Amino acid sequence: MSYFLPAARPEMPSPAEVFARLCSLDEHRHIVEAEARIEFLMRTHEEVKGGRRVLGTVFRPDVQGRLRDVFQWLLEDKFMLAEGDNPIDYLIVLDADFWLEADDRAREILVYHEICHLQPAFDKMGAQRFDRDTGLPVLTLQNHDVEEFSAVVRRYG
């Protein structure tokens, strides 16, 4: 298995550029308000789940226990985080072959789909949750509401 950081190319936008553009949309305002740090990795091996090719996955890059500091050090090194930088809140892993072969619209749909997984968190009473230390909104990973997110279908068909 192999992964790499997406490189900037003049002929195509990076996932981070597509993400930044999509965060200007009202339906993703909560990501900006939460000041979530999102990073991207490209995956070179094909991943299949339920007989279907997986084009992207969102992870919370968090390890508990004794390896927590080692894992954080690896993330800081790989993503060149400076001391004092916010830790990575979510890591989006994309299929590199798909990204290279896709047109700009398909890339945008993929990133849009993956960030639809990031939704505001609510408590048991239905009130939006906020971080105790920062006061910022808390995000949670959301499963698909249908086979595809209804928001993706509304926007792209």
Side-chain angles (χ1 to χ4, degrees):
M1 286 191 249
S2 183
Y3 299 88
F4 63 92
L5 295 173
R9 293 177 170 212
E11 69 275 12
M12 75 176 69
S14 72
E17 291 169 327
V18 174
F19 169 74
R21 189 172 63 248
L22 290 171
C23 279
S24 68
L25 300 173
D26 191 50
E27 61 260 39
H28 297 306
R29 183 180 64 241
H30 59 279
I31 298 172
V32 175
E33 290 172 352
E35 297 179 15
R37 178 156 186 175
I38 315 292
E39 292 290 346
F40 293 87
L41 270 180
M42 306 307 280
R43 173 177 35 83
T44 60
H45 58 280
E46 187 174 277
E47 191 173 303
V48 177
K49 184 177 179 182
R52 296 177 66 168
R53 182 177 174 192
V54 176
L55 300 180
T57 310
V58 182
F59 298 97
R60 268 194 74 74
D62 191 24
V63 171
Q64 297 178 354
R66 295 183 346 199
L67 288 179
R68 182 182 179 95
D69 291 339
V70 172
F71 188 72
Q72 188 60 38
W73 172 74
L74 289 169
L75 285 175
E76 289 169 359
D77 181 62
K78 214 29 135 170
F79 290 98
M80 297 176 277
L81 302 180
E83 191 169 322
D85 278 354
N86 290 338
I88 297 170
D89 296 302
Y90 294 95
L91 182 62
I92 299 177
V93 180
L94 302 175
D95 183 297
D97 289 336
F98 175 83
W99 191 264
L100 293 172
E101 296 165 3
D103 61 20
D104 286 345
R105 184 171 192 274
R107 289 185 198 105
E108 180 177 306
I109 292 170
L110 175 58
V111 173
Y112 186 92
H113 171 97
E114 295 309 323
I115 64 177
C116 279
H117 284 287
L118 305 174
Q119 294 297 318
F122 294 92
D123 65 19
K124 293 177 184 175
M125 302 301 288
Q128 187 172 357
R129 292 181 46 214
F130 293 88
D131 185 276
R132 290 180 187 152
D133 296 328
T134 65
L136 295 171
V138 174
L139 297 178
T140 188
L141 285 174
Q142 179 73 39
N143 288 326
H144 298 129
D145 49 7
V146 289
E147 181 70 21
E148 176 61 85
F149 283 105
S150 57
V152 175
V153 175
R154 273 194 309 273
R155 183 170 182 81
Y156 299 101

